[in-house]
Every structure is written in structure tokens, then in C-alpha cells.
């Protein structure tokens, strides 16, 4: 026997079946929102995982192609590696829920979301977000929920709650907000330069909607929720902290951690850890927990100094940004490059331009998006943090950081008509000590301008942190957090934008939510900081896009042809267009509306390709003068090819002013000749002449 619950959200009905399927999971919910169907489950291991000092939470968002009536591509014809969208959705679910699990919980937990059907009017991402919250809340897994999530779109200045896929893709705002019953716990946004006040309005519209959903979840939990199970705590005993303080007094720990050099701080902590290891050599229990205990001691020290004394580890003021530097053109021959440095965070960004045919093809559940013209990729090698480990390709963090910087810059990119290029930006992390994604945004903006991409406005980004006390009124907001403040603080609030508004937000927290004054102060701080970065640093390196692309970048010329002539250009089985490409070395793209793009680096060859294309699509007219190659000789005349697939005949009587007995006496295969079109003969055929070409045209 199962129960069904329902609620109206954004003028659509969300129904939740409990007890219908997946009974062996700790918690399971089958959700339908319109025709979108998602199975969300929460499972936990019976015992904690040994030898770890973190909570092992895994979140999955499984996109099944049958959900949109497709068979997967490739040879295997089954779903493979998770798409970027699946990874990003899983991250959005993970970020608000992770802080609500007990900090000392070490049992493996998996939240799985299986997308089984997709209605374009009801995005599966929001259904999975709510499903994860519901399945966890009704399970016996310890969880300090419930929490809820709502998405807000905006079209023509009007907010839309849980917009359709088309409204989401085409609107001015893509905002996801998660909340508990008291506070906002996660914000993720992409926006078309939304003013700060409008963004705050949207955030708290979503928060109000979340409060209604939380009441709904509470009702479900009260009727079918399981009692939370007990677990083996992995918290550090208080007596161990006291023993550590006897060996390493608080003032010594303060001196060890308060330095702006990451390497010096790490060396100081290593010496302290080595000393404690010697002191506890006979205490196996303490030795097993020593790493986590030292981490907690550092955390308490840093938080106390910031909160009570307003003193940061590198002695900066609370709203002070670390030393900044920016430069462009540091890498030769690439199409555009820039480097942005903020303290010990350093990003080099390289931009590559290519024809639109090189845009990334996307095969996913969203039928509105079939390609990505702008791609931003982010790499985080181990040397950037002074570590050594092999590269295994981009993980979820790298995909998430790249997507954030990509989202930040999309609103200022030129249209395809204005700039018919596919664009790839790659952010290489040279050094990392806090908020590399925001440095990537700044570096990418400068690299795009250096590459000659006519972006509409400059974009910068910065991150704010937070340290809270025992009450809601006891907190300190920090501008431009470094790694230590991120690790030991309560918030990482990243905002990108132009001088006119916000283009992206990503907020992570480690506590149970933020009050509105904190959110307002963080947004105000990030605006102040990004304006400073643009005015004082970025604009001094490059203040506007270059007038044209660089010498090594491909050049693109676009011509419009009659769509009815596309077949003539392509030729049978692509023979005509491929011959033009082989002759000139260019790339040619043709859209369905007849827009032809010619891409190459050699202007002469591009001009030749354009000439050939124009000949192919232009009907022969009387008086038109053309140059072509003799490709065939007959008794009655010669055939001349003017462009691939475009040829005409010169009658033997039109070859020379004198009488010609044999065509071969005047012409040889391969000869390049100039002819004039004589118009149509009595039979309606186009005639050409060599002898009638004006002297000044030869």
C-alpha cells in the first residue's frame, strides 16, 4: 500500500508516491511534475567507512535517453558517462544538502535520481532536487531537514516560478534557490545583467515558495517518515583538544596560521603535527584522530581571530582584495591569451576561434539545445597547490568551475550574426589559493577581448566569505577569501557581473543558512569589489575588444545565397563543395537559410573560394566575362569549367577571329582562358566566346 501526496507549484501539480517502488532503499519517492517523472532514492551504509575524515556523500542525476524517446548514439547504444548537465545538477543538489547531515557522520550515503520521463514544461532538474530532499527526509538517515528548492526565470521583467525548459533557456534569469524553514542555504544563478535589487527580490520570492514546499514535506514526514537511526560518532573528544592545547598553546597556533604565504603556513602546521605525533606516540586512539584534531584546532583559531578581533590570516582589512595583476598576449601564436593574478591565485586563459561547425554537439534531455557555440573549460592540475598526483581528466569540481565562468560571460558575447565563430576558452590554473573560478572569469574576459571577440561589456568576479558566531547577529563578511578562509569559514559566495548587473552567482555554505542581511551585504561587497577589479586592473591591461582577430586566428567571410542554390554549391554527394575546399584549403559552412561562411587564414585563398561560390550561384548573363579552365575538347568546340560543377561550351567558331579547322590547334586541356557570355542560342543554351572578349578584359 502506498500513499500519494500532491502540491501546486508554479501553477503545476507535483505528485509524490511514497511506498510504491524501491522499498529496499532507506527512503524512496516517485515524483511526477506534469509528465516529468523522476525516481529519487536515499541509501546509507550500515557502518561508517574506516580511515576517512569526511562525510562520504554521493549524489547522482541519471539522464536516461528513453525519457525523451531517443536511443543513445555511439556503437554501444546505451548511456555512458554523465553529461555536464547531469554533473552540474548533482552538484546543485549536493551543495545545500551536505551541510544538513551530521558533521561527524561517516556512513556512505548515496542520493540517486533516475529521470524516467521528461515533459518540456516541467524541468527534471527541479524534480530531482525536491525528490532528493523528500527521500532523505522520510528515510532513517540522520538529516537536519527538510529543505526545498525552487527555480525562478524571468521574461520581460516578470518572474516565473519553475519555468518551462523554453522559458528557462530563453529568459533573462536562471535562478535556483534552496532553503530550510528559516534561511536560504544555496543560490545558483545565471543572469542577463540583472540589477542587485532585482536579484534579491527573485531570491526571496524563491525562498517564500520554498517555505510552502517545506510545509508539504513536513506533512509527508509526519505520516510516513522513519525514525532516524543512531550512528557511531567520529567527533574528536574534548579531552584530546585539551591535551593538544597543553602542548601547543593557542597563541602558538595563532602565530603558525596567521601568514599570507600558504607554503609557510603549511610548514608551520607540519612542524606542530610532527611534535604532537611524538607526544602521542603511545596513544593509538589519539594518533588515529590527530590529523582531524589539528584541522579542527586551526579552524577554531582562525574563526576566533576573524570573528572576535576582525583579524585575517594575512592581516588584510575585511573588505580588502589581495594584490592584483593582469596582462594579455602572454602566449604567442594562440588566438587570444590573458593572465589574471590575485594573491596566490593565478589563472592563464587561452581563447581559440573556429568556424561555427566546430561548436560542441549536445545530446541530452533538452531538445532546445543541440550545440554549444561558446565553451569554457577549466583545468586544475596538482602542481597549482604544490601537490603531486596524476591527471585523470576533469572531475566534478573542474566541470562546475568551468560552467560557472562560462555562464558569467555568455550574456556579453556577440551573436552569431555579429561574430560567426565558435569560441573555446580554456582556463589553466597556474596557482590556487582561493576562488580560481572568479579569477577564471576575469582572465577569460580579457582573453576574449585580446582575441578580438567583440564582447559587449567587461565582466569580473569575486568571492565573499563568512564567519558566524552563536547568534544570527554575530557574523563577519570577508571580501576575496583565500583558501584558509574558505576551508575554515562558513560561506563561499561568488558573484560575477558587469558594471550594470549580475551575470552569475554560486553560493556554497557549511552552516544551516544565511539571514537576509548577510545575503544583502555579500551581494553589495561583491559589486564593490568587481568594479574595483575592472577599473583598477583589467582595464589597464586591455580596455576594449580588439578591432579584428589576430594573425593566427581564422578569418571568416559570410555571403548570403539563394537557399534554392544550396544544392548547386554542395553538388552530388558533396563533390562540388569538397573540390572548392581542396583547391583553397578553407572551411565552408552552409546554414539552411543560405548563409555561407568561408573560414581560413590565407586571404587570397578565401577570396578565391568566395569567387568560385559566387560563380556557382550566379546565373550566366550576356556580357559577363569569366575565366576558366578547358576540361574537355570536342570536334565542335571546347568545354570550359569556371568553378566546380559550373561549366560552359565555346563553339569552334567562337575560339578565334580567324577560321579554326581543329579545336586542338588553338586549345589544350588545362588551358586557362577568358570568355564572354553571349547569352542564349536559338535552342536556349548558354553560349560563350573567346574571340569576342574585349581587349581590355584579357
Amino acid at each position: 500500500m502506498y500513499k500519494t501526496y500532491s502540491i501546486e507549484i508554479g501553477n503545476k501539480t507535483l505528485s509524490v508516491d511514497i511506498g510504491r517502488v524501491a522499498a529496499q532503499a532507506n527512503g524512496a519517492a516517485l515524483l511526477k511534475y506534469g509528465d516529468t517523472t523522476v525516481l529519487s532514492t536515499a541509501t546509507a551504509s550500515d557502518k561508517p567507512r574506516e580511515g576517512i575524515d569526511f562525510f562520504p556523500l554521493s549524489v547522482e542525476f541519471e539522464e536516461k535517453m528513453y525519457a525523451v524517446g531517443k536511443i543513445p548514439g555511439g556503437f554501444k547504444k546505451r548511456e555512458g558517462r554523465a553529461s555536464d548537465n547531469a554533473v552540474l545538477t548533482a552538484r546543485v543538489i549536493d551543495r545545500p544538502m551536505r551541510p544538513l547531515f551530521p558533521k561527524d557522520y561517516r556512513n556512505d550515503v548515496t542520493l540517486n535520481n533516475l529521470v524516467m520521463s521528461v515533459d518540456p514544461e516541467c524541468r527534471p532538474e527541479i524534480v530531482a532536487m525536491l525528490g532528493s530532499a523528500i527521500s532523505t527526509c522520510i528515510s532513517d538517515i540522520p538529516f537536519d531537514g527538510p529543505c526545498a528548492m525552487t527555480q525562478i526565470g524571468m521574461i520581460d521583467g516578470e518572474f516565473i516560478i519553475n519555468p518551462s525548459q523554453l522559458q528557462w533557456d530563453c529568459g533573462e534569469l536562471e535562478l535556483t534557490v534552496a532553503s530550510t524553514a528559516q534561511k536560504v542555504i544555496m543560490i545558483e544563478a545565471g543572469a542577463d545583467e540583472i540589477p542587485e535589487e532585482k536579484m534579491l527580490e527573485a531570491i526571496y520570492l524563491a525562498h517564500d515558495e520554498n517555505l510552502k514546499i517545506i510545509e508539504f514535506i513536513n506533512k509527508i514526514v509526519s505520516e510516513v517518515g522513519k525514525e532516524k537511526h543512531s550512528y557511531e560518532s567520529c567527533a574528536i573528544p574534548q579531552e584530546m583538544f585539551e591535551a593538544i592545547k597543553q602542548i601547543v598553546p593557542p597563541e602558538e597556533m595563532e602565530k603558525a596560521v596567521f601568514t599570507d604565504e600558504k607554503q609557510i603556513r603549511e610548514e608551520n602546521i607540519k612542524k606542530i603535527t610532527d611534535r604532537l605525533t611524538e607526544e602521542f606516540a603511545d596513544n593509538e586512539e589519539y594518533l588515529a584522530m590527530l590529523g582531524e584534531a589539528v584541522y579542527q584546532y586551526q579552524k577554531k583559531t582562525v574563526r576566533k581571530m576573524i570573528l572576535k578581533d576582525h583579524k585575517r590570516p594575512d592581516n588584510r582589512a575585511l573588505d580588502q582584495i589581495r594584490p592584483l595583476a593582469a596582462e594579455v598576449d602572454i602566449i604567442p601564436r594562440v588566438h587570444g591569451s590573458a593572465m589574471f593574478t590575485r594573491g596566490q591565485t593565478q589563472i592563464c586563459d587561452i581563447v581559440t576561434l573556429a568556424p561555427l561547425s566546430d561548436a560542441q554537439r549536445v545530446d541530452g534531455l533538452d531538445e532546445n539545445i543541440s550545440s554549444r557555440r561558446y565553451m569554457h573549460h577549466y583545468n586544475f592540475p596538482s602542481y597549482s597547490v604544490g601537490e603531486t598526483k596524476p591527471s585523470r581528466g576533469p572531475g566534478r569540481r573542474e566541470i562546475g568551475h568551468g560552467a560557472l565562468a562560462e555562464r558569467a560571460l555568455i550574456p556579453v558575447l556577440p551573436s552569431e550574426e555579429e561574430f560567426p565563430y565558435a569560441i573555446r576558452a580554456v582556463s589553466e590554473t597556474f596557482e590556487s589559493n582561493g576562488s580560481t573560478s572568479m579569477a577564471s572569469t576575469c582572465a577569460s574576459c580579457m582573453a576574449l577581448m585580446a582575441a578580438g571577440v567583440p564582447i559587449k561589456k567587461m565582466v569580473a568576479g569575486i568571492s565573499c566569505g563568512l564567519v558566524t558566531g552563536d547568534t544570527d547577529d554575530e557574523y563577519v563578511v570577508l571580501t576575496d577569501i583565500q583558501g584558509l578562509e574558505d576551508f575554515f569559514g562558513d560561506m563561499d559566495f561568488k558573484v560575477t557581473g558587469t558594471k550594470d548587473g549580475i551575470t552569475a552567482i554560486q553560493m556554497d555554505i557549511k552552516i544551516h543558512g544565511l539571514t537576509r542581511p548577510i545575503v544583502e551585504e555579500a551581494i553589495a561587497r561583491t559589486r564593490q569589489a568587481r568594479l574595483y577589479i575592472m577599473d583598477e586592473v583589467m582595464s589597464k591591461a586591455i580596455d576594449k575588444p580588439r578591432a579584428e582577430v589576430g594573425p593566427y586566428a581564422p578569418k571568416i567571410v559570410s555571403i548570403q545565397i539563394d537557399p534554392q542554390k544550396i544544392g548547386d554549391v554542395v553538388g552530388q554527394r558533396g563533390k562540388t563543395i569538397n573540390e572548392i575546399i581542396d583547391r583553397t584549403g578553407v572551411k565552408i559552412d552552409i546554414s539552411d537559410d543560405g548563409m555561407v561562411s568561408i573560414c581560413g587564414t590565407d586571404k587570397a585563398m578565401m577570396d578565391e573560394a568566395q569567387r568560385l561560390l559566387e560563380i556557382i550561384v550566379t546565373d550566366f548573363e550576356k556580357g559577363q566575362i569569366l575565366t576558366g579552365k578547358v576540361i574537355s575538347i570536342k570536334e565542335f568546340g571546347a568545354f570550359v569549367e569556371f568553378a566546380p560543377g559550373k561549366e560552359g561550351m565555346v563553339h569552334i567558331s567562337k575560339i578565334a577571329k580567324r577560321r579554326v579547322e581543329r579545336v586542338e590547334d588553338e586549345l589544350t586541356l588545362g588551358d586557362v582562358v577568358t570568355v564572354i557570355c553571349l547569352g542564349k542560342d536559338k535552342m536556349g543554351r548558354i553560349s560563350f566566346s573567346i574571340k569576342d572578349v574585349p581587349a581590355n578584359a584579357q
Side-chain angles (χ1 to χ4, degrees):
M1 191 69 181
Y2 66 89
K3 283 195 170 187
T4 299
Y5 301 86
S6 62
I7 183 176
E8 291 293 313
I9 308 175
N11 298 320
K12 297 183 280 283
T13 301
L14 173 73
S15 65
V16 182
D17 291 348
I18 306 295
R20 186 176 185 181
V21 296
Q24 295 189 51
N26 295 63
L30 183 65
L31 294 88
K32 289 185 180 179
Y33 195 37
D35 285 337
T36 294
T37 305
V38 177
L39 172 61
S40 296
T41 58
T43 52
S45 60
D46 293 333
K47 296 180 180 180
R49 193 195 302 182
E50 294 184 2
I52 61 171
D53 57 2
F54 61 92
F55 169 45
L57 172 66
S58 298
V59 180
E60 304 297 336
F61 179 77
E62 296 189 45
E63 297 176 314
K64 298 298 184 181
M65 297 307 290
Y66 57 69
V68 289
K70 293 181 182 179
I71 294 176
F75 291 104
K76 293 184 178 181
K77 296 298 180 184
R78 68 180 299 162
E79 291 81 6
R81 175 179 173 173
S83 69
D84 283 1
N85 179 66
V87 169
L88 297 172
T89 302
R91 280 171 56 86
V92 169
I93 296 171
D94 181 298
R95 297 207 319 266
M97 294 191 65
R98 185 178 291 271
L100 300 180
F101 289 93
K103 287 182 169 46
D104 57 345
Y105 193 52
R106 297 293 180 265
N107 296 46
D108 284 278
V109 173
T110 298
L111 308 180
N112 188 278
N113 298 278
L114 178 64
V115 182
M116 307 186 73
S117 176
V118 175
D119 177 349
E121 294 298 310
C122 303
R123 302 186 69 246
E125 290 84 352
I126 189 63
V127 184
M129 294 170 192
L130 294 174
S132 289
I134 293 170
S135 60
T136 305
C137 286
I138 65 172
S139 75
D140 61 345
I141 302 170
F143 183 69
D144 195 9
C147 64
M149 301 185 209
T150 295
Q151 293 185 325
I152 301 292
M154 187 173 75
I155 295 179
D156 296 330
E158 296 295 323
F159 293 131
I160 304 169
I161 295 173
N162 288 353
S164 69
Q165 189 64 58
L166 184 61
Q167 291 169 327
W168 184 257
D169 294 334
C170 300
E172 304 152 51
L173 176 65
E174 298 177 357
L175 172 67
T176 303
V177 176
S179 310
T180 62
Q182 294 79 31
K183 301 172 183 176
V184 170
I185 56 175
M186 192 278 299
I187 302 170
E188 178 95 7
D192 189 2
E193 296 185 90
I194 301 295
E196 280 74 6
E197 299 78 12
K198 193 75 172 177
M199 183 65 77
L200 282 166
E201 183 183 348
I203 289 169
Y204 281 93
L205 172 63
H207 178 61
D208 291 341
E209 196 69 21
N210 283 336
L211 297 182
K212 301 174 189 176
I213 299 171
I214 287 170
E215 287 184 17
F216 171 68
I217 297 175
N218 277 329
K219 178 185 177 183
I220 299 175
V221 173
S222 67
E223 295 185 13
V224 299
K226 300 176 183 178
E227 182 180 351
K228 300 301 182 184
H229 66 234
S230 59
Y231 64 93
E232 181 182 333
S233 174
C234 296
I236 305 298
Q238 185 59 37
E239 56 269 23
M240 182 176 179
F241 278 123
E242 295 303 324
I244 289 175
K245 287 180 181 179
Q246 292 297 318
I247 302 167
V248 183
E251 55 271 18
E252 184 178 345
M253 180 58 82
E254 289 175 12
K255 185 177 179 181
V257 299
F258 275 75
T259 173
D260 57 356
E261 290 291 335
K262 179 181 174 183
Q263 292 85 349
I264 295 175
R265 182 171 60 250
E266 290 177 347
E267 182 61 29
N268 293 341
I269 297 302
K270 181 179 183 300
K271 290 177 181 177
I272 287 174
T273 304
D274 290 344
R275 192 187 344 154
L276 290 170
T277 301
E278 292 179 9
E279 293 288 341
F280 297 144
D282 298 329
N283 191 326
E284 292 185 5
E285 181 184 358
Y286 280 11
L287 284 177
M289 296 184 287
L290 185 57
E292 176 66 11
V294 172
Y295 173 85
Q296 293 291 341
Y297 194 8
Q298 291 182 75
K299 183 175 182 177
K300 290 179 179 180
T301 301
V302 171
R303 292 175 64 85
K304 170 185 169 294
M305 294 295 287
I306 292 174
L307 189 62
K308 301 299 182 184
D309 303 329
H310 288 189
K311 182 179 179 182
R312 301 178 72 170
D314 53 5
N315 288 312
R316 277 184 292 146
L318 299 180
D319 61 351
Q320 184 180 355
I321 302 173
R322 287 172 289 174
L324 299 168
E327 54 186 307
V328 296
D329 302 329
I330 70 165
I331 309 295
R333 301 187 73 87
V334 299
H335 302 164
S337 66
M339 188 163 71
F340 182 84
T341 305
R342 190 183 62 248
Q344 289 184 298
T345 293
Q346 188 175 65
I347 296 288
C348 179
D349 193 90
I350 297 95
V351 165
T352 305
L353 305 177
L356 289 170
S357 58
D358 282 356
Q360 182 182 12
R361 296 186 63 184
V362 178
D363 187 19
L365 303 186
D366 179 6
E367 296 185 356
N368 295 322
I369 301 177
S370 59
S371 66
R372 287 170 63 202
R373 172 229 188 174
Y374 176 60
M375 299 153 279
H376 189 290
H377 297 148
Y378 166 96
N379 296 316
F380 188 81
S382 58
Y383 63 73
S384 67
V385 288
E387 296 177 356
T388 174
K389 61 180 179 181
S391 175
R392 302 296 185 193
R396 293 193 169 196
R397 180 180 185 275
E398 286 82 358
I399 292 171
H401 278 28
L404 177 58
E406 179 176 304
R407 175 178 275 179
L409 288 156
I410 284 176
V412 301
L413 292 176
S415 66
E416 291 184 6
E417 291 73 24
E418 295 172 301
F419 193 70
Y421 286 87
I423 308 164
R424 182 182 185 231
V426 179
S427 290
E428 304 288 1
T429 306
F430 285 173
E431 191 176 5
S432 174
N433 186 15
S435 199
T436 49
S437 61
M438 296 296 92
S440 295
T441 300
C442 299
S444 300
C445 177
M446 294 190 297
L448 287 167
M449 291 193 289
V453 180
I455 62 173
K456 299 167 188 174
K457 297 176 185 177
M458 189 177 286
V459 176
I462 196 69
S463 178
C464 275
L466 176 74
V467 176
T468 56
D470 297 329
T471 66
D472 286 347
D473 295 332
E474 190 179 11
Y475 66 88
V476 172
V477 175
L478 306 170
T479 299
D480 180 24
I481 55 173
Q482 58 173 309
L484 190 71
E485 294 165 333
D486 185 7
F487 299 149
F488 298 151
D490 297 321
M491 174 182 79
D492 185 3
F493 200 127
K494 303 168 184 172
V495 183
T496 69
T498 66
K499 291 185 176 181
D500 296 320
I502 293 170
T503 58
I505 296 178
Q506 187 177 93
M507 186 193 84
D508 301 327
I509 63 171
K510 303 171 188 174
I511 53 177
H512 288 197
L514 303 181
T515 62
R516 182 159 185 159
I518 294 175
V519 175
E520 290 177 348
E521 183 174 348
I523 287 179
R525 285 277 197 94
T526 55
R527 174 175 174 79
Q528 178 185 17
R530 77 170 185 267
L531 295 182
Y532 174 83
I533 291 170
M534 286 188 280
D535 290 340
E536 298 298 324
V537 184
M538 294 172 62
S539 61
K540 292 180 179 177
I542 183 168
D543 62 350
K544 61 184 178 182
R546 289 185 171 140
E548 57 185 29
V549 300
Y552 299 105
K555 313 301 185 291
I556 294 180
V557 174
S558 297
I559 60 172
Q560 181 69 51
I561 67 171
D562 182 348
Q564 301 296 323
K565 299 282 188 179
I566 292 177
D568 296 339
V569 172
V570 175
Q572 188 175 18
R573 296 181 181 178
K575 179 180 178 181
T576 301
I577 195 170
N578 285 330
E579 186 171 341
I580 296 174
I581 291 170
D582 290 341
R583 282 193 197 181
T584 61
V586 302
K587 292 187 71 172
I588 300 174
D589 294 330
I590 308 176
S591 63
D592 293 338
D593 62 357
M595 182 59 71
V596 181
S597 294
I598 305 166
C599 178
T601 55
D602 187 325
K603 186 177 185 305
M605 289 294 98
M606 293 176 66
D607 291 344
E608 174 63 10
Q610 182 175 349
R611 185 186 71 82
L612 295 174
L613 287 168
E614 289 174 344
I615 291 174
I616 291 172
V617 300
T618 302
D619 292 330
F620 293 129
E621 296 180 357
K622 185 176 180 179
Q624 184 178 4
I625 296 174
L626 300 164
T627 299
K629 182 170 66 174
V630 177
I631 59 170
S632 177
I633 294 177
K634 305 293 183 183
E635 289 184 3
F636 51 82
F639 286 90
V640 179
E641 183 187 62
F642 308 107
K646 192 86 168 182
E647 60 187 49
M649 192 194 77
V650 179
H651 191 268
I652 189 170
S653 64
K654 299 296 182 181
I655 294 176
K657 294 186 182 295
R658 61 187 175 279
R659 178 179 176 81
V660 177
E661 297 292 340
R662 296 172 64 250
V663 176
E664 291 89 340
D665 294 339
E666 300 292 332
L667 298 174
T668 306
L669 288 177
D671 283 352
V672 175
V673 296
T674 300
V675 302
I676 186 170
C677 179
L678 301 177
K680 295 181 179 179
D681 61 18
K682 294 179 180 180
M683 300 180 65
R685 298 174 300 188
I686 299 293
S687 299
F688 295 91
S689 171
I690 296 175
K691 73 177 185 179
D692 295 313
V693 175
N696 59 1
Q698 295 181 354

